[in-house]
Structures are given as C-alpha cells and as structure tokens.
Amino acid sequence: TLGKDMTFRDYSQGAYRMRGIGKGQTVVLLAPPEVLSLVRAHVALGAGRAEDEAAESLSAQEALHNIAAWLHVNSMRSETMQFNLLCEQSVRNVFRKRAFRLLVEARAKVGTKGEDGPTRAALDVFRDQIDLSIAPALGGGGLDLAGTIAELAVAHRDFIVSDEEKAAVAGIQQKLASANKQSESSAEAVEEAAFGGEQEQEQEQEQQQEQEQ
C-alpha cells in the first residue's frame, strides 16, 4: 500500500522481500486516491504543466513510472530533513561538550549552595526550556534553520570558546548555506521549466484554434 510518507527505499525493501518475483510471485500496488493526487501534483510540477492536465487514464507502465518518480522526491525530502536535523544536533554537540566537561569538574557543587553561575549555565545547556508565550499573529515570523543555528551559537557563545569549536560551528553554517544555495537553484530551475511548459502549452492551443478556424 502506497503511503504519503513512503520513500523509494521503503518501496524497494517491501518488494525485494519477495524472493520469487519473476518466478511466480507478483507485486500488486494499492494507491489511495489522496496519495495519487499527490503523485499527480508532483509529476505535473516536474513536467512543467498544470496539474489538471495530468492524464487520468495512464498505462500501468506510466503510472508506475510516475509513482517511482514521486517516491524519489519523498526520499530527497526525507534526506533534507535528516540533514537539517544533523546540522542542528552537530552545533548543539559543540557547546554541550564544553558544558559537560565543566559539570564533571564541578559535580560536587551541583545542587548545593556552592553552585556558581557558570555551573548553573552549564546545567541550563541540557535543559529544554518551555516557551509558553503566545505569538501576536498566526503563521510566519519563525526563523529558518540557518537563523536558528545562528541564534543557538550566540545564545551559547560562552561555551564556544576555542578556535576549534568556533571553526566547527562555522563549518556547519557554511555547509548549510551551500546546501540552501543548491536547493534554491533547483527550485528556480523547476519554476523556469514550469513557466516554459505553460508557454509551450499556450502556443499549442493557439495553433489548434487557428487550424480549427
């Protein structure tokens, strides 16, 4: 059964568990209408045409081709999410290491009257603060990942001290910026292809109307 969050790897693993494919075993793919609408939308976007022009009656080979393409898109989306999470975790790991070393050295002070400011700050690094404030407006206003990482680095600058730690954070930010630039370039290419497809479609319609007249 095709799921909205399924990737090509999930699909392949499910198929290759059957060791007798081509020797009597076959794969039957069940695709809910909601998932098929997602497939059509992404395929139409990739082909540079309007979604309503995606053919409703496709051959089995064309349908499988479109589903495989959509599964690859889901795979890329999943990899992007994992990459973003890894970048954030890597930055947190830089200042958490120094905070952990400080806590190990001052472990006798933790929870006592002798607990000083740096020790409490190191403890706060491992605490998840709950923000109960209510936004003045719905939607928008949130930081992107690059902004979040920059904010984390500033908020924990007391634990990002050595040149090695600063270089590690800067390297992660540079890697993220490079990935975002590539993503933006790909998005622009898709938009240009879609615009070109619309123009070509309009020209074909005009030619058909002229021939009919």
Side-chain angles (χ1 to χ4, degrees):
T1 302
L2 201 64
K4 67 179 183 65
D5 297 320
M6 181 180 288
T7 64
F8 188 78
R9 180 175 181 270
D10 301 329
Y11 175 75
S12 300
Q13 281 187 335
Y16 287 123
R17 288 180 186 276
M18 304 172 64
R19 303 301 181 186
I21 293 180
K23 301 178 182 178
Q25 287 185 337
T26 57
V27 177
V28 177
L29 183 62
L30 302 179
E34 296 81 5
V35 176
L36 280 180
S37 66
L38 293 175
V39 174
R40 294 193 190 99
H42 283 84
V43 169
L45 181 63
R49 64 168 184 264
E51 180 181 347
D52 56 3
E53 294 207 5
E56 292 291 337
S57 56
L58 296 174
S59 66
Q61 185 175 359
E62 290 173 329
L64 289 174
H65 181 273
N66 290 346
I67 289 173
W70 176 74
L71 288 171
H72 278 293
V73 171
N74 276 359
S75 298
M76 289 184 282
R77 183 183 296 111
S78 176
E79 291 292 333
T80 300
M81 292 177 61
Q82 292 179 31
F83 171 75
N84 291 344
L85 182 60
L86 176 62
C87 287
E88 183 177 349
Q89 289 177 340
S90 297
V91 170
R92 290 182 181 274
N93 192 46
V94 172
F95 56 77
R96 280 181 172 177
K97 282 183 177 180
R98 179 172 288 273
F100 179 75
R101 289 195 297 268
L102 191 150
L103 287 174
V104 170
E105 294 173 358
R107 59 186 179 277
K109 299 179 183 179
V110 176
T112 67
K113 293 182 180 180
E115 184 177 284
D116 52 12
T119 304
R120 284 192 293 272
L123 281 172
D124 288 338
V125 169
F126 296 95
R127 288 175 175 155
D128 292 329
Q129 303 294 335
I130 300 177
D131 186 5
L132 300 179
S133 60
I134 300 175
L138 295 176
L143 292 175
D144 59 2
L145 182 61
T148 300
I149 287 179
E151 193 177 68
L152 282 173
V154 172
H156 299 89
R157 58 184 176 272
D158 293 338
F159 297 96
I160 305 174
V161 180
S162 68
D163 293 339
E164 183 180 356
E165 291 167 344
K166 293 177 181 178
V169 173
I172 295 168
Q173 291 176 316
Q174 185 177 3
K175 186 183 296 185
L176 181 61
S178 177
N180 288 339
K181 186 176 181 180
Q182 292 179 1
S183 179
E184 290 174 0
S185 299
S186 300
E188 290 175 358
V190 170
E191 290 178 0
E192 290 178 1
F195 180 72
E198 290 177 1
Q199 285 187 326
E200 184 177 350
Q201 173 192 349
E202 291 175 358
Q203 292 175 357
E204 291 177 355
Q205 289 178 348
E206 291 176 358
Q207 291 176 357
Q208 289 179 356
Q209 290 175 357
E210 291 176 357
Q211 292 177 356
E212 291 175 356
Q213 293 175 356

